Amino acid sequence: TESKHRRLGGDLKTRSTELGSAVTGSPLPAVLSASTTGKKSIVLSSETRKELAKQAKVTKEERRAHTDERHKYLISKLADGIGLSEQQVEEAIISDDKFQLIEQFFAPSGLKKLLFFYQDVLQQKSNASLRSDGSTNSLLQKKLFITMGSAENFTGTCAFFLRTSDKVITASNVSQEVNFGIFDCTDGNILQGLEIFLSQTMIPALKSQKNWGAVKEGLKNSQIQDFLYSVDKFVGTLSSSRQNIDDKIRLTKVDIDTYVSNLQTPSDYITAG
């Protein structure tokens, strides 16, 4: 039994150490949940927490040392677009467990998009203590983080970088090969955010575009004109639909017990249907 306990402790420490390489910089949980196995939560020792924090610091400093002009370009755009300082953005990026997505974005034929969400997320307090129910104190805080856009709900601001070619992204071409944009979905209002993004950003940019690749005469081309007309029409439809939803659809609470209590016979149910 004693040897089993030692092996369990060793396995736990190994897993915790592996976890430390992907630490995001936010305070680590004081509890490892084992709900999937039905076992009680295991409280990490202070030595383990210190070791994880030490490894996280080393990882962050290694990433900071390897940032170059490409990273600085992304940081500058994010800081201007979201309203944070460059120091805050850099700290968020090098602390992110998806940091490797940036390198994949820079690589030849790499990721076509790089997304950042800036919104409220549930974070554990730094001085959180173990409560009687096994949970910890937590609160909502604004956080900038890298995302694939498929796992987290979008409720705040999305900052995105898009590649225009399969070239490797270098310090000398990052400003030409990478486009940056902001999509605001504050309070989860996605339709309004999409409408504003299209009407105030994308459509003006498209209408001022002179180079349309293989299409000759640019804005004078009938296909380009039809395309821009369709986009304008879509935005108009989107705006109308959003207003209809905001103004006309109101869901009210119904006391269903009142209706059900009056249904006594099969004919009552048929009439109600």
Side-chain angles (χ1 to χ4, degrees), residues 193-204 231 234-235 238:
L194 179 59
E195 178 188 340
I196 293 174
F197 174 68
L198 291 174
S199 62
Q200 298 184 11
T201 303
M202 292 304 299
I203 291 180
V231 177
F234 171 75
V235 173
L238 179 63

Side-chain angles (χ1 to χ4, degrees), residues 118-120 142 153-158 183-188:
Y118 181 60
Q119 60 192 29
D120 288 331
K142 285 274 189 185
N153 291 329
F154 176 36
T155 60
T157 301
C158 173
F183 180 40
D184 190 5
C185 178
T186 304
D187 298 326

Side-chain angles (χ1 to χ4, degrees), residues 16 19 35 61 83 91 108 116 123 132 149 151 153 174 226 233-234 236 239 268:
S16 301
L19 176 64
S35 57
E61 293 309 314
E91 188 67 21
F116 293 81
Q123 297 193 45
S132 58
N153 291 329
V174 62
D226 289 343
K233 186 176 180 181
F234 171 75
S239 177
D268 292 336

Side-chain angles (χ1 to χ4, degrees), residues 214-233:
V215 179
K216 297 181 179 180
E217 297 184 341
L219 295 176
K220 295 181 180 180
N221 185 279
S222 60
Q223 292 179 322
I224 299 299
Q225 292 176 353
D226 289 343
F227 167 70
L228 293 176
Y229 172 77
S230 298
V231 177
D232 274 326
K233 186 176 180 181

Side-chain angles (χ1 to χ4, degrees), residues 4 56-57 69 73 77 81 83 91 113 116 127 154 214-215 233 238 243 250 254 261 270:
K4 289 183 180 180
K57 183 178 180 180
E69 293 302 319
Y73 177 82
K77 290 294 184 182
E91 188 67 21
K113 65 180 180 180
F116 293 81
N127 60 346
F154 176 36
V215 179
K233 186 176 180 181
L238 179 63
Q243 291 176 11
R250 291 290 183 270
V254 177
S261 61
I270 295 175

